[in-house]
Amino acid sequence: MSLQSKGLPAVPEQTAAVARAAFPKGSLPIRVRDRLAEVFADEPFVDAFGVRGAPGMSPAVLSLVTVLQFAESLTDRQAAAMAVRAIDWKYAIGAELTDTGFDHTVLTRFRTRLVDHGLERAVFDRMVAHCRDAGLIAAGGKQRTDATHVISAVRDLNRLELAGESVRAALEALAVAAPAWLAGQIDVAEFAHRYGPRVNGWTMPESQTKRDRLALVFAQDGYALCQAAWSPAAPAWIRDIEAVAVLRQVLVQTYYRRTDTRGREVIIKRDADSEGVPPGRCRLASPYDTDARWAAKGDDLFWCGYKIHLTESCDTPPEAEAEAEAERHGRRMPNLITDVATTDATVPDVKATTGIQQRLAEHGIAPGEHYLDSGYPSADLVTAAAAEGITMVTPLLADHSRQAKATDGFDKSAFRIDWTTRQVRCPQGHRSTGWHPVKQHGRDAIVIEFAKADCRACPARTRCTAAARGNRMLTLRPKEIHERVAAARKEQDTEAWRAKYALRAGIEGTVNQALDITGIRRARYRGLAKVSLQHAFSATAINIIRLDA
């Protein structure tokens, strides 16, 4: 398929006349076409199309249809139908009144093409650039970020169901790709009886003994399939089938094989306390979505899927000033989504902070103040952001040492540090005897040691340390980081800081709007790349709705 770069076609006269008559006050699709047509172009998608073959549908048209689809929370079939029967949609994409539209599968193939060529954010990035050029977003302003969970588009499976369903998925893939080879490796009738219907916990035996036996049967069937696939006589391409590779990984993560004293092979289902299980960040949760992961937040939230981070501008002036501004210019500056990032569910928020700020800087809209909750910052990140001109307005986690938690203990703030002489004075007046620069978890740190003779004889020893070695040890960060963290912790205890930080709460409304309109909390597709595409188009849809308002 080739691309003939044309962009959005001109609106036919008859279509324009009917649309204006049907919508005298306009509609969202009409205003998007009139005001944001330059956002939807073919040029960003050139690399995703060839130069030979039949010309494909304009990616500018398909991207506009996809944005409108998310703005109205439509399925592919419904979006394709709207392009045929809705006059304002015909106006938006420049279609004749007699145009019969396109098949809904075109949208699926378009999304696949975008994912295959890394163009998931192409439309969103062009929208952000347009808003920046229009003066709606600028560098040095205020922005806020928050995350919410996203439930994957696959069933929740326990470990037993996962083992059986992985065997079933591999059998279905092999039955399509290599039916003759598969028939020569298994008892077709027996496997069809066992794996014909999907593996479901509701229909499994209630007895734990029978469930353990069923787990062993799943393992034996899975190992038999893998041994056949990796035998020298098997075609090499059998092993490249994704479902077969996933089955092999699930078997490794779920079972443990060993040889007993008689030389017989024993298969054991892994237990966290004995054989060990993989950490959540690499443990598969479904054979149909290998990027989905189980995660928990607090005691109440437990989900399988992903996490989305939304960042928006929040330079909204006080209410009175906003009303005066609206009277003068006839409009109010909207809060617009400036960045969207999707990760698997196990990635902590702090790992997303640097990427968010880097992307904002690349688009020329790095904030002067970045409002985040306590999951995003670290001492190093706050210091690094300040060096780039970004002030992170965020509560730093408090000192969780035993001394800090005790009402009468001596925490780090009770010690006086002389960075010039490299000495620390304790609350009782004793000076440190050791200053040791070290690396801890790949970060620079300083270990401070006090003399055992001073500590053991100190009357306040129980308030300072309970170490068996008898003397107090302190771990400090380098001077700049230590002082910045100390100042930030002191500032965030003030009423002025709390009042300022209240601005961050507004991002919750954006999360709710995205949830209500585009359904971002449920993945439409499988795989991290496709879910990222869903969220990028969802964010674009929210932006056009806010601009239209």
Side-chain angles (χ1 to χ4, degrees), residues 331-367:
R331 66 176 183 175
R332 185 174 300 192
M333 296 290 283
N335 293 337
L336 299 174
I337 297 176
T338 54
D339 187 73
V340 55
T342 308
T343 66
D344 73 60
T346 61
V347 176
D349 293 348
V350 69
K351 296 292 185 181
T353 306
T354 300
I356 292 170
Q357 293 178 348
Q358 286 179 346
R359 286 189 296 272
L360 293 175
E362 290 170 0
H363 285 89
I365 53 173

PDB file of all heavy atoms in Angstrom, residues 331-367:
ATOM      1  N   ARG A 331     -13.003  34.735  25.819  1.00  0.00           N
ATOM      2  CA  ARG A 331     -12.690  33.327  25.983  1.00  0.00           C
ATOM      3  C   ARG A 331     -11.900  33.136  27.272  1.00  0.00           C
ATOM      4  O   ARG A 331     -11.366  34.074  27.833  1.00  0.00           O
ATOM      5  CB  ARG A 331     -11.864  32.787  24.819  1.00  0.00           C
ATOM      6  CG  ARG A 331     -10.466  33.407  24.722  1.00  0.00           C
ATOM      7  CD  ARG A 331      -9.655  32.782  23.619  1.00  0.00           C
ATOM      8  NE  ARG A 331      -8.297  33.330  23.597  1.00  0.00           N
ATOM      9  CZ  ARG A 331      -7.350  32.906  22.804  1.00  0.00           C
ATOM     10  NH1 ARG A 331      -7.598  31.955  21.944  1.00  0.00           N
ATOM     11  NH2 ARG A 331      -6.148  33.433  22.848  1.00  0.00           N
ATOM     12  N   ARG A 332     -11.830  31.914  27.720  1.00  0.00           N
ATOM     13  CA  ARG A 332     -11.063  31.574  28.911  1.00  0.00           C
ATOM     14  C   ARG A 332     -10.006  30.546  28.516  1.00  0.00           C
ATOM     15  O   ARG A 332     -10.289  29.590  27.794  1.00  0.00           O
ATOM     16  CB  ARG A 332     -11.980  30.999  29.981  1.00  0.00           C
ATOM     17  CG  ARG A 332     -11.280  30.731  31.299  1.00  0.00           C
ATOM     18  CD  ARG A 332     -12.254  30.299  32.366  1.00  0.00           C
ATOM     19  NE  ARG A 332     -13.259  31.321  32.608  1.00  0.00           N
ATOM     20  CZ  ARG A 332     -14.083  31.311  33.638  1.00  0.00           C
ATOM     21  NH1 ARG A 332     -14.008  30.351  34.526  1.00  0.00           N
ATOM     22  NH2 ARG A 332     -14.974  32.263  33.789  1.00  0.00           N
ATOM     23  N   MET A 333      -8.783  30.724  29.014  1.00  0.00           N
ATOM     24  CA  MET A 333      -7.700  29.807  28.664  1.00  0.00           C
ATOM     25  C   MET A 333      -7.992  28.429  29.235  1.00  0.00           C
ATOM     26  O   MET A 333      -8.203  28.282  30.449  1.00  0.00           O
ATOM     27  CB  MET A 333      -6.375  30.330  29.216  1.00  0.00           C
ATOM     28  CG  MET A 333      -5.941  31.645  28.607  1.00  0.00           C
ATOM     29  SD  MET A 333      -5.439  31.480  26.894  1.00  0.00           S
ATOM     30  CE  MET A 333      -3.824  30.757  27.128  1.00  0.00           C
ATOM     31  N   PRO A 334      -8.029  27.398  28.403  1.00  0.00           N
ATOM     32  CA  PRO A 334      -8.339  26.056  28.911  1.00  0.00           C
ATOM     33  C   PRO A 334      -7.102  25.372  29.483  1.00  0.00           C
ATOM     34  O   PRO A 334      -5.969  25.690  29.118  1.00  0.00           O
ATOM     35  CB  PRO A 334      -8.816  25.330  27.653  1.00  0.00           C
ATOM     36  CG  PRO A 334      -8.032  25.969  26.541  1.00  0.00           C
ATOM     37  CD  PRO A 334      -7.859  27.426  26.939  1.00  0.00           C
ATOM     38  N   ASN A 335      -7.325  24.457  30.398  1.00  0.00           N
ATOM     39  CA  ASN A 335      -6.260  23.570  30.835  1.00  0.00           C
ATOM     40  C   ASN A 335      -6.179  22.422  29.824  1.00  0.00           C
ATOM     41  O   ASN A 335      -7.163  21.710  29.612  1.00  0.00           O
ATOM     42  CB  ASN A 335      -6.556  23.010  32.229  1.00  0.00           C
ATOM     43  CG  ASN A 335      -6.516  24.088  33.297  1.00  0.00           C
ATOM     44  OD1 ASN A 335      -5.882  25.115  33.110  1.00  0.00           O
ATOM     45  ND2 ASN A 335      -7.205  23.865  34.398  1.00  0.00           N
ATOM     46  N   LEU A 336      -5.020  22.263  29.213  1.00  0.00           N
ATOM     47  CA  LEU A 336      -4.849  21.275  28.152  1.00  0.00           C
ATOM     48  C   LEU A 336      -3.867  20.190  28.564  1.00  0.00           C
ATOM     49  O   LEU A 336      -2.888  20.462  29.272  1.00  0.00           O
ATOM     50  CB  LEU A 336      -4.362  21.944  26.867  1.00  0.00           C
ATOM     51  CG  LEU A 336      -5.301  22.988  26.269  1.00  0.00           C
ATOM     52  CD1 LEU A 336      -4.640  23.676  25.083  1.00  0.00           C
ATOM     53  CD2 LEU A 336      -6.624  22.345  25.853  1.00  0.00           C
ATOM     54  N   ILE A 337      -4.112  18.973  28.131  1.00  0.00           N
ATOM     55  CA  ILE A 337      -3.210  17.857  28.409  1.00  0.00           C
ATOM     56  C   ILE A 337      -1.944  18.048  27.574  1.00  0.00           C
ATOM     57  O   ILE A 337      -2.012  18.175  26.351  1.00  0.00           O
ATOM     58  CB  ILE A 337      -3.881  16.516  28.085  1.00  0.00           C
ATOM     59  CG1 ILE A 337      -5.098  16.308  28.989  1.00  0.00           C
ATOM     60  CG2 ILE A 337      -2.893  15.367  28.260  1.00  0.00           C
ATOM     61  CD1 ILE A 337      -5.889  15.056  28.691  1.00  0.00           C
ATOM     62  N   THR A 338      -0.810  18.084  28.235  1.00  0.00           N
ATOM     63  CA  THR A 338       0.470  18.344  27.561  1.00  0.00           C
ATOM     64  C   THR A 338       1.319  17.095  27.395  1.00  0.00           C
ATOM     65  O   THR A 338       2.235  17.075  26.581  1.00  0.00           O
ATOM     66  CB  THR A 338       1.279  19.379  28.346  1.00  0.00           C
ATOM     67  OG1 THR A 338       1.414  18.925  29.712  1.00  0.00           O
ATOM     68  CG2 THR A 338       0.565  20.729  28.356  1.00  0.00           C
ATOM     69  N   ASP A 339       1.026  16.056  28.164  1.00  0.00           N
ATOM     70  CA  ASP A 339       1.778  14.808  28.014  1.00  0.00           C
ATOM     71  C   ASP A 339       0.930  13.652  28.513  1.00  0.00           C
ATOM     72  O   ASP A 339       0.131  13.801  29.452  1.00  0.00           O
ATOM     73  CB  ASP A 339       3.096  14.849  28.800  1.00  0.00           C
ATOM     74  CG  ASP A 339       3.968  13.636  28.516  1.00  0.00           C
ATOM     75  OD1 ASP A 339       4.539  13.572  27.405  1.00  0.00           O
ATOM     76  OD2 ASP A 339       4.071  12.735  29.374  1.00  0.00           O
ATOM     77  N   VAL A 340       1.095  12.511  27.873  1.00  0.00           N
ATOM     78  CA  VAL A 340       0.422  11.285  28.285  1.00  0.00           C
ATOM     79  C   VAL A 340       1.434  10.154  28.170  1.00  0.00           C
ATOM     80  O   VAL A 340       2.148  10.046  27.171  1.00  0.00           O
ATOM     81  CB  VAL A 340      -0.830  11.011  27.422  1.00  0.00           C
ATOM     82  CG1 VAL A 340      -0.495  10.976  25.939  1.00  0.00           C
ATOM     83  CG2 VAL A 340      -1.508   9.716  27.843  1.00  0.00           C
ATOM     84  N   ALA A 341       1.535   9.343  29.203  1.00  0.00           N
ATOM     85  CA  ALA A 341       2.501   8.246  29.224  1.00  0.00           C
ATOM     86  C   ALA A 341       1.825   7.008  29.798  1.00  0.00           C
ATOM     87  O   ALA A 341       1.086   7.097  30.787  1.00  0.00           O
ATOM     88  CB  ALA A 341       3.722   8.613  30.061  1.00  0.00           C
ATOM     89  N   THR A 342       2.075   5.866  29.179  1.00  0.00           N
ATOM     90  CA  THR A 342       1.496   4.600  29.616  1.00  0.00           C
ATOM     91  C   THR A 342       2.615   3.634  29.963  1.00  0.00           C
ATOM     92  O   THR A 342       3.568   3.482  29.194  1.00  0.00           O
ATOM     93  CB  THR A 342       0.609   3.992  28.519  1.00  0.00           C
ATOM     94  OG1 THR A 342      -0.336   4.974  28.081  1.00  0.00           O
ATOM     95  CG2 THR A 342      -0.136   2.776  29.036  1.00  0.00           C
ATOM     96  N   THR A 343       2.508   2.983  31.101  1.00  0.00           N
ATOM     97  CA  THR A 343       3.481   1.984  31.527  1.00  0.00           C
ATOM     98  C   THR A 343       2.735   0.733  31.974  1.00  0.00           C
ATOM     99  O   THR A 343       1.503   0.750  32.115  1.00  0.00           O
ATOM    100  CB  THR A 343       4.337   2.491  32.697  1.00  0.00           C
ATOM    101  OG1 THR A 343       3.495   2.665  33.856  1.00  0.00           O
ATOM    102  CG2 THR A 343       4.994   3.820  32.359  1.00  0.00           C
ATOM    103  N   ASP A 344       3.472  -0.357  32.189  1.00  0.00           N
ATOM    104  CA  ASP A 344       2.790  -1.503  32.786  1.00  0.00           C
ATOM    105  C   ASP A 344       2.527  -1.188  34.249  1.00  0.00           C
ATOM    106  O   ASP A 344       3.085  -0.263  34.834  1.00  0.00           O
ATOM    107  CB  ASP A 344       3.586  -2.792  32.589  1.00  0.00           C
ATOM    108  CG  ASP A 344       4.822  -2.893  33.457  1.00  0.00           C
ATOM    109  OD1 ASP A 344       4.675  -2.862  34.687  1.00  0.00           O
ATOM    110  OD2 ASP A 344       5.929  -3.033  32.914  1.00  0.00           O
ATOM    111  N   ALA A 345       1.649  -1.967  34.861  1.00  0.00           N
ATOM    112  CA  ALA A 345       1.113  -1.613  36.171  1.00  0.00           C
ATOM    113  C   ALA A 345       2.151  -1.626  37.280  1.00  0.00           C
ATOM    114  O   ALA A 345       1.946  -0.996  38.320  1.00  0.00           O
ATOM    115  CB  ALA A 345      -0.034  -2.568  36.531  1.00  0.00           C
ATOM    116  N   THR A 346       3.270  -2.317  37.085  1.00  0.00           N
ATOM    117  CA  THR A 346       4.240  -2.458  38.168  1.00  0.00           C
ATOM    118  C   THR A 346       5.264  -1.330  38.216  1.00  0.00           C
ATOM    119  O   THR A 346       6.048  -1.251  39.156  1.00  0.00           O
ATOM    120  CB  THR A 346       4.998  -3.789  38.038  1.00  0.00           C
ATOM    121  OG1 THR A 346       5.705  -3.812  36.780  1.00  0.00           O
ATOM    122  CG2 THR A 346       4.049  -4.969  38.089  1.00  0.00           C
ATOM    123  N   VAL A 347       5.289  -0.458  37.213  1.00  0.00           N
ATOM    124  CA  VAL A 347       6.281   0.624  37.189  1.00  0.00           C
ATOM    125  C   VAL A 347       5.881   1.693  38.198  1.00  0.00           C
ATOM    126  O   VAL A 347       4.788   2.270  38.098  1.00  0.00           O
ATOM    127  CB  VAL A 347       6.392   1.245  35.783  1.00  0.00           C
ATOM    128  CG1 VAL A 347       7.356   2.422  35.789  1.00  0.00           C
ATOM    129  CG2 VAL A 347       6.847   0.197  34.776  1.00  0.00           C
ATOM    130  N   PRO A 348       6.720   1.996  39.190  1.00  0.00           N
ATOM    131  CA  PRO A 348       6.363   3.038  40.168  1.00  0.00           C
ATOM    132  C   PRO A 348       6.347   4.414  39.528  1.00  0.00           C
ATOM    133  O   PRO A 348       7.033   4.670  38.534  1.00  0.00           O
ATOM    134  CB  PRO A 348       7.473   2.913  41.227  1.00  0.00           C
ATOM    135  CG  PRO A 348       8.621   2.270  40.525  1.00  0.00           C
ATOM    136  CD  PRO A 348       8.026   1.375  39.484  1.00  0.00           C
ATOM    137  N   ASP A 349       5.568   5.318  40.111  1.00  0.00           N
ATOM    138  CA  ASP A 349       5.419   6.660  39.555  1.00  0.00           C
ATOM    139  C   ASP A 349       6.755   7.386  39.431  1.00  0.00           C
ATOM    140  O   ASP A 349       6.963   8.160  38.491  1.00  0.00           O
ATOM    141  CB  ASP A 349       4.456   7.486  40.422  1.00  0.00           C
ATOM    142  CG  ASP A 349       3.033   6.957  40.369  1.00  0.00           C
ATOM    143  OD1 ASP A 349       2.753   6.113  39.508  1.00  0.00           O
ATOM    144  OD2 ASP A 349       2.211   7.389  41.201  1.00  0.00           O
ATOM    145  N   VAL A 350       7.657   7.155  40.382  1.00  0.00           N
ATOM    146  CA  VAL A 350       8.930   7.880  40.376  1.00  0.00           C
ATOM    147  C   VAL A 350       9.748   7.573  39.125  1.00  0.00           C
ATOM    148  O   VAL A 350      10.555   8.396  38.689  1.00  0.00           O
ATOM    149  CB  VAL A 350       9.732   7.540  41.660  1.00  0.00           C
ATOM    150  CG1 VAL A 350      10.206   6.088  41.639  1.00  0.00           C
ATOM    151  CG2 VAL A 350      10.910   8.487  41.837  1.00  0.00           C
ATOM    152  N   LYS A 351       9.519   6.411  38.522  1.00  0.00           N
ATOM    153  CA  LYS A 351      10.245   6.049  37.302  1.00  0.00           C
ATOM    154  C   LYS A 351       9.737   6.806  36.083  1.00  0.00           C
ATOM    155  O   LYS A 351      10.410   6.847  35.047  1.00  0.00           O
ATOM    156  CB  LYS A 351      10.127   4.545  37.042  1.00  0.00           C
ATOM    157  CG  LYS A 351      10.758   3.666  38.107  1.00  0.00           C
ATOM    158  CD  LYS A 351      12.267   3.793  38.107  1.00  0.00           C
ATOM    159  CE  LYS A 351      12.902   2.815  39.084  1.00  0.00           C
ATOM    160  NZ  LYS A 351      14.377   2.943  39.122  1.00  0.00           N
ATOM    161  N   ALA A 352       8.552   7.406  36.171  1.00  0.00           N
ATOM    162  CA  ALA A 352       7.970   8.119  35.037  1.00  0.00           C
ATOM    163  C   ALA A 352       8.299   9.605  35.042  1.00  0.00           C
ATOM    164  O   ALA A 352       8.126  10.282  34.023  1.00  0.00           O
ATOM    165  CB  ALA A 352       6.450   7.938  35.021  1.00  0.00           C
ATOM    166  N   THR A 353       8.795  10.130  36.149  1.00  0.00           N
ATOM    167  CA  THR A 353       8.976  11.575  36.294  1.00  0.00           C
ATOM    168  C   THR A 353       9.943  12.146  35.264  1.00  0.00           C
ATOM    169  O   THR A 353       9.639  13.140  34.584  1.00  0.00           O
ATOM    170  CB  THR A 353       9.480  11.907  37.710  1.00  0.00           C
ATOM    171  OG1 THR A 353       8.589  11.324  38.667  1.00  0.00           O
ATOM    172  CG2 THR A 353       9.541  13.406  37.919  1.00  0.00           C
ATOM    173  N   THR A 354      11.113  11.542  35.144  1.00  0.00           N
ATOM    174  CA  THR A 354      12.128  12.063  34.223  1.00  0.00           C
ATOM    175  C   THR A 354      11.633  12.066  32.791  1.00  0.00           C
ATOM    176  O   THR A 354      11.813  13.048  32.055  1.00  0.00           O
ATOM    177  CB  THR A 354      13.422  11.234  34.338  1.00  0.00           C
ATOM    178  OG1 THR A 354      13.916  11.308  35.682  1.00  0.00           O
ATOM    179  CG2 THR A 354      14.483  11.750  33.379  1.00  0.00           C
ATOM    180  N   GLY A 355      10.995  10.985  32.357  1.00  0.00           N
ATOM    181  CA  GLY A 355      10.486  10.905  30.983  1.00  0.00           C
ATOM    182  C   GLY A 355       9.457  11.979  30.698  1.00  0.00           C
ATOM    183  O   GLY A 355       9.459  12.585  29.617  1.00  0.00           O
ATOM    184  N   ILE A 356       8.563  12.238  31.650  1.00  0.00           N
ATOM    185  CA  ILE A 356       7.543  13.272  31.465  1.00  0.00           C
ATOM    186  C   ILE A 356       8.197  14.637  31.268  1.00  0.00           C
ATOM    187  O   ILE A 356       7.877  15.376  30.326  1.00  0.00           O
ATOM    188  CB  ILE A 356       6.585  13.297  32.672  1.00  0.00           C
ATOM    189  CG1 ILE A 356       5.750  12.019  32.712  1.00  0.00           C
ATOM    190  CG2 ILE A 356       5.677  14.521  32.609  1.00  0.00           C
ATOM    191  CD1 ILE A 356       4.949  11.853  33.984  1.00  0.00           C
ATOM    192  N   GLN A 357       9.124  14.980  32.132  1.00  0.00           N
ATOM    193  CA  GLN A 357       9.762  16.295  32.046  1.00  0.00           C
ATOM    194  C   GLN A 357      10.629  16.425  30.807  1.00  0.00           C
ATOM    195  O   GLN A 357      10.700  17.510  30.211  1.00  0.00           O
ATOM    196  CB  GLN A 357      10.566  16.542  33.322  1.00  0.00           C
ATOM    197  CG  GLN A 357       9.697  16.675  34.555  1.00  0.00           C
ATOM    198  CD  GLN A 357      10.490  16.862  35.833  1.00  0.00           C
ATOM    199  OE1 GLN A 357      11.702  16.686  35.851  1.00  0.00           O
ATOM    200  NE2 GLN A 357       9.809  17.214  36.916  1.00  0.00           N
ATOM    201  N   GLN A 358      11.268  15.351  30.385  1.00  0.00           N
ATOM    202  CA  GLN A 358      12.079  15.403  29.163  1.00  0.00           C
ATOM    203  C   GLN A 358      11.207  15.644  27.939  1.00  0.00           C
ATOM    204  O   GLN A 358      11.560  16.436  27.057  1.00  0.00           O
ATOM    205  CB  GLN A 358      12.880  14.118  29.008  1.00  0.00           C
ATOM    206  CG  GLN A 358      14.054  14.002  29.962  1.00  0.00           C
ATOM    207  CD  GLN A 358      14.812  12.694  29.795  1.00  0.00           C
ATOM    208  OE1 GLN A 358      14.336  11.752  29.152  1.00  0.00           O
ATOM    209  NE2 GLN A 358      15.991  12.619  30.382  1.00  0.00           N
ATOM    210  N   ARG A 359      10.071  14.953  27.854  1.00  0.00           N
ATOM    211  CA  ARG A 359       9.184  15.151  26.699  1.00  0.00           C
ATOM    212  C   ARG A 359       8.618  16.570  26.673  1.00  0.00           C
ATOM    213  O   ARG A 359       8.488  17.176  25.600  1.00  0.00           O
ATOM    214  CB  ARG A 359       8.065  14.115  26.713  1.00  0.00           C
ATOM    215  CG  ARG A 359       8.504  12.717  26.326  1.00  0.00           C
ATOM    216  CD  ARG A 359       7.319  11.782  26.147  1.00  0.00           C
ATOM    217  NE  ARG A 359       6.596  11.585  27.399  1.00  0.00           N
ATOM    218  CZ  ARG A 359       6.888  10.654  28.301  1.00  0.00           C
ATOM    219  NH1 ARG A 359       7.908   9.833  28.083  1.00  0.00           N
ATOM    220  NH2 ARG A 359       6.183  10.516  29.399  1.00  0.00           N
ATOM    221  N   LEU A 360       8.276  17.103  27.832  1.00  0.00           N
ATOM    222  CA  LEU A 360       7.780  18.485  27.880  1.00  0.00           C
ATOM    223  C   LEU A 360       8.856  19.458  27.404  1.00  0.00           C
ATOM    224  O   LEU A 360       8.561  20.415  26.668  1.00  0.00           O
ATOM    225  CB  LEU A 360       7.342  18.834  29.305  1.00  0.00           C
ATOM    226  CG  LEU A 360       6.120  18.077  29.841  1.00  0.00           C
ATOM    227  CD1 LEU A 360       5.875  18.430  31.297  1.00  0.00           C
ATOM    228  CD2 LEU A 360       4.877  18.382  29.006  1.00  0.00           C
ATOM    229  N   ALA A 361      10.106  19.204  27.805  1.00  0.00           N
ATOM    230  CA  ALA A 361      11.201  20.074  27.368  1.00  0.00           C
ATOM    231  C   ALA A 361      11.427  19.961  25.870  1.00  0.00           C
ATOM    232  O   ALA A 361      11.696  20.956  25.185  1.00  0.00           O
ATOM    233  CB  ALA A 361      12.470  19.726  28.133  1.00  0.00           C
ATOM    234  N   GLU A 362      11.331  18.753  25.315  1.00  0.00           N
ATOM    235  CA  GLU A 362      11.519  18.557  23.871  1.00  0.00           C
ATOM    236  C   GLU A 362      10.467  19.301  23.063  1.00  0.00           C
ATOM    237  O   GLU A 362      10.735  19.745  21.946  1.00  0.00           O
ATOM    238  CB  GLU A 362      11.475  17.060  23.549  1.00  0.00           C
ATOM    239  CG  GLU A 362      12.696  16.290  24.056  1.00  0.00           C
ATOM    240  CD  GLU A 362      12.516  14.793  23.935  1.00  0.00           C
ATOM    241  OE1 GLU A 362      11.431  14.362  23.453  1.00  0.00           O
ATOM    242  OE2 GLU A 362      13.433  14.047  24.306  1.00  0.00           O
ATOM    243  N   HIS A 363       9.271  19.442  23.616  1.00  0.00           N
ATOM    244  CA  HIS A 363       8.204  20.171  22.924  1.00  0.00           C
ATOM    245  C   HIS A 363       8.248  21.675  23.216  1.00  0.00           C
ATOM    246  O   HIS A 363       7.376  22.413  22.751  1.00  0.00           O
ATOM    247  CB  HIS A 363       6.834  19.614  23.308  1.00  0.00           C
ATOM    248  CG  HIS A 363       6.507  18.296  22.682  1.00  0.00           C
ATOM    249  ND1 HIS A 363       6.839  17.098  23.264  1.00  0.00           N
ATOM    250  CD2 HIS A 363       5.906  17.991  21.503  1.00  0.00           C
ATOM    251  CE1 HIS A 363       6.439  16.112  22.485  1.00  0.00           C
ATOM    252  NE2 HIS A 363       5.870  16.618  21.407  1.00  0.00           N
ATOM    253  N   GLY A 364       9.235  22.104  23.994  1.00  0.00           N
ATOM    254  CA  GLY A 364       9.356  23.527  24.288  1.00  0.00           C
ATOM    255  C   GLY A 364       8.334  24.043  25.268  1.00  0.00           C
ATOM    256  O   GLY A 364       8.026  25.245  25.274  1.00  0.00           O
ATOM    257  N   ILE A 365       7.800  23.173  26.135  1.00  0.00           N
ATOM    258  CA  ILE A 365       6.774  23.601  27.089  1.00  0.00           C
ATOM    259  C   ILE A 365       7.117  23.103  28.495  1.00  0.00           C
ATOM    260  O   ILE A 365       6.218  22.777  29.273  1.00  0.00           O
ATOM    261  CB  ILE A 365       5.373  23.109  26.674  1.00  0.00           C
ATOM    262  CG1 ILE A 365       5.376  21.594  26.435  1.00  0.00           C
ATOM    263  CG2 ILE A 365       4.882  23.841  25.435  1.00  0.00           C
ATOM    264  CD1 ILE A 365       3.993  21.007  26.184  1.00  0.00           C
ATOM    265  N   ALA A 366       8.408  23.044  28.810  1.00  0.00           N
ATOM    266  CA  ALA A 366       8.801  22.607  30.150  1.00  0.00           C
ATOM    267  C   ALA A 366       8.209  23.550  31.186  1.00  0.00           C
ATOM    268  O   ALA A 366       8.275  24.775  31.041  1.00  0.00           O
ATOM    269  CB  ALA A 366      10.322  22.569  30.266  1.00  0.00           C
ATOM    270  N   PRO A 367       7.608  23.029  32.250  1.00  0.00           N
ATOM    271  CA  PRO A 367       6.957  23.903  33.237  1.00  0.00           C
ATOM    272  C   PRO A 367       7.971  24.588  34.146  1.00  0.00           C
ATOM    273  O   PRO A 367       9.071  24.077  34.388  1.00  0.00           O
ATOM    274  CB  PRO A 367       6.085  22.929  34.034  1.00  0.00           C
ATOM    275  CG  PRO A 367       6.820  21.622  33.949  1.00  0.00           C
ATOM    276  CD  PRO A 367       7.462  21.601  32.583  1.00  0.00           C
TER     277      PRO A 367
END
